[in-house]
Amino acid sequence: MRPCGAALAILLVIAVSGCALSQAEVGPEGTLEVFSPNALGPQRSLPGDWVVEADGNGDARRNIAVETATGGATLTLKTGAPRFVMARRTKATLLASPYMGWSWRMTAQAGVTPDIRMIIGFHGGNPESRSTGEPLARLGTRLPAFDRAISILWGQSALERGSFSTATPIPEYIARGGAEHFEKWWTDNLDLADLYRKAWPNDRIEGARIMFMGFAVGPEAGAEAQFGDIVLYR
C-alpha cells in the first residue's frame, strides 16, 4: 500500500452525520481562506468546522499544532500513530472557485517517504450519485458526504512534480517532491477544476461542489509538514 494508503482508507468510509454542521463558505469575491491567520477562531485556534477522524480510538491531537507569529499562522502535522484524516468542511462551487493556493514545508528522516498528503472532497458532479448525496460508505462522522476526492502529495523525486495518476481509488497529484527540497518553504497553486476534468471527464462538473479540504496523515513516525495560507480562489 502506498504511503498514507491506510489513512485514505479512513477517508473512504467517511459519511455524512445525521445533523446539520457548520461549513466554511466562500465570500462574494470567490475566495475562501481555508487556513490563514484570518481563518482562526478565538485564542488563535481552529474553528469548529474542522474535523479530525483518527483510526480506531487513537488521539491525533499530539500530532497537530497551530502556531501564530508576526501576523502569520502555521499548521504543523506530524506522522506517528494513530493515522488520521483532518479536514475543514467547506461550501464552495468548484467552477466558481477553481483554484487552490498554499505554502508548505516538508521534513522527513533519511529514507522516510513523507506520509502526509492534502485531500479535497467533492460532491455533485458524479452522475451516478443520488441528488441527496451518496457517501462512499456509511460511518457516522462529522464530515459531509462526497462522491469524488483528489489527493495532493509530495513525491519521492523532484522529477515527479506535476504528475497525475487516476490509477488509485483517489487520484493522486504530485505537487512537489524530492528530499533535496525538504526544510524549505514553497508556495504552490493548482487548478482543481482542471484536475477534476482529467480524472472524471464524463462528470457534470458544473454541479460539483468542494465539500471539504484537509489532510491524511500516516502512522509511521519520521515526517513532519507545515502548511500556511491555504486558500480557494477564482
Side-chain angles (χ1 to χ4, degrees):
M1 183 174 287
R2 288 178 60 94
C4 241
L8 292 180
I10 300 175
L11 189 70
L12 288 170
V13 296
I14 286 173
V16 66
S17 67
C19 57
L21 297 169
S22 61
Q23 298 169 290
E25 297 192 34
V26 171
E29 71 286 355
T31 300
L32 171 60
E33 295 183 31
V34 179
F35 178 81
S36 71
N38 296 329
L40 295 177
Q43 287 78 51
R44 313 301 285 172
S45 61
L46 295 174
D49 44 30
W50 280 91
V51 177
V52 177
E53 300 287 349
D55 190 13
N57 296 319
D59 185 356
R61 289 176 294 181
R62 64 186 179 87
N63 294 336
I64 302 169
V66 176
E67 302 175 8
T68 58
T70 62
T74 301
L75 174 63
T76 300
L77 303 176
K78 297 181 180 181
T79 59
R83 61 176 59 93
F84 65 93
V85 171
M86 173 185 180
R88 190 176 190 188
R89 297 186 298 267
T90 58
K91 187 176 182 180
T93 301
L94 176 57
L95 291 183
S97 303
Y99 300 105
M100 172 184 172
W102 74 99
S103 58
W104 55 343
R105 177 180 182 268
M106 190 71 69
T107 304
Q109 297 175 4
V112 174
T113 299
D115 202 357
I116 303 170
R117 64 181 67 198
M118 306 179 78
I119 297 291
I120 300 94
F122 308 91
H123 184 268
N126 183 357
E128 297 181 2
S129 291
R130 296 193 298 266
S131 60
T132 54
E134 183 175 345
L136 300 182
R138 295 198 63 81
L139 174 68
T141 76
R142 295 180 297 149
L143 276 179
F146 66 100
D147 52 27
R148 302 296 196 195
I150 290 173
S151 66
I152 302 169
L153 59 147
W154 189 285
Q156 295 184 10
S157 167
L159 298 178
E160 294 179 299
R161 185 182 182 189
S163 62
F164 186 47
S165 173
T166 59
T168 53
I170 295 180
E172 300 175 337
Y173 178 82
I174 299 179
R176 200 167 286 274
E180 65 271 30
H181 291 155
F182 285 169
E183 301 184 4
K184 301 176 184 177
W185 277 99
W186 302 94
T187 297
D188 286 301
N189 291 273
L190 188 59
D191 187 337
L192 292 176
D194 180 61
L195 287 186
Y196 190 102
R197 289 189 180 97
K198 290 178 178 177
W200 304 287
N202 297 321
D203 271 21
R204 302 184 300 258
I205 191 173
E206 67 278 3
R209 303 183 302 279
I210 301 172
M211 305 301 292
F212 62 84
M213 299 180 65
F215 314 89
V217 181
E220 183 179 352
E224 174 181 306
Q226 295 176 299
F227 296 88
D229 297 326
I230 304 171
V231 60
L232 281 173
Y233 64 96
R234 67 183 180 199

